[in-house]
Amino acid sequence: MTAPKTHLSLAENQIHLWRFNLETPPSDWQAKGRFLLSDDENERAAKFKRGGDDYINTRIFMRRILAQYTDTPPQALIFDRNPYGKPFLRQSDIQFNLSHSRQWAVLAVGLNCDLGIDVESTSDRRSILNIAQHYFHPNEI
């Protein structure tokens, strides 16, 4: 499984958002994509008691997307962390942030910009309006 040959590019101040449904990955996603992960990623996945498949699928998703921006094979991407723990690519100015909750993974990708993204699943049991009224300014609600 290699990244599509399409090259994706970004302009300054442009952010691309990608989403992936973790409940419906392609049938051969892990079988063909597991080799894209680093040894560290595979070791971490092996430690999960629950959620290991989501972790693997999310990492494959992220690597395949970022490879299209960097013209680098997904398995050759090298990740590092800044002093605050935020991951970055050693070989690119592409910035990214990944979040997942329940069935969704969301990836934000930008160029030379600090960015973050967060996705949260909600349940009908929580009152979003009550939460907003408690934490937000009236103009934000």
Side-chain angles (χ1 to χ4, degrees), residues 49-117:
K49 290 185 176 33
R50 288 188 330 231
D53 285 344
D54 286 350
Y55 173 79
I56 292 166
N57 289 334
T58 300
R59 300 302 290 194
I60 293 168
F61 160 69
M62 181 180 69
R63 283 180 169 276
R64 288 179 53 84
I65 298 298
L66 293 176
Q68 293 178 64
Y69 288 98
T70 61
D71 288 329
T72 303
Q75 65 273 22
L77 293 172
I78 300 171
F79 297 93
D80 209 343
R81 294 192 178 272
N82 72 15
Y84 303 104
K86 185 173 184 331
F88 67 92
L89 286 170
R90 283 190 195 168
Q91 66 265 61
S92 176
D93 291 333
I94 295 290
Q95 301 294 311
F96 67 94
N97 194 248
L98 177 71
S99 179
H100 62 90
S101 181
R102 293 194 188 165
Q103 78 183 59
W104 293 107
V106 180
L107 178 69
V109 182
L111 180 64
N112 297 320
C113 63
D114 290 329
L115 55 88
I117 191 165

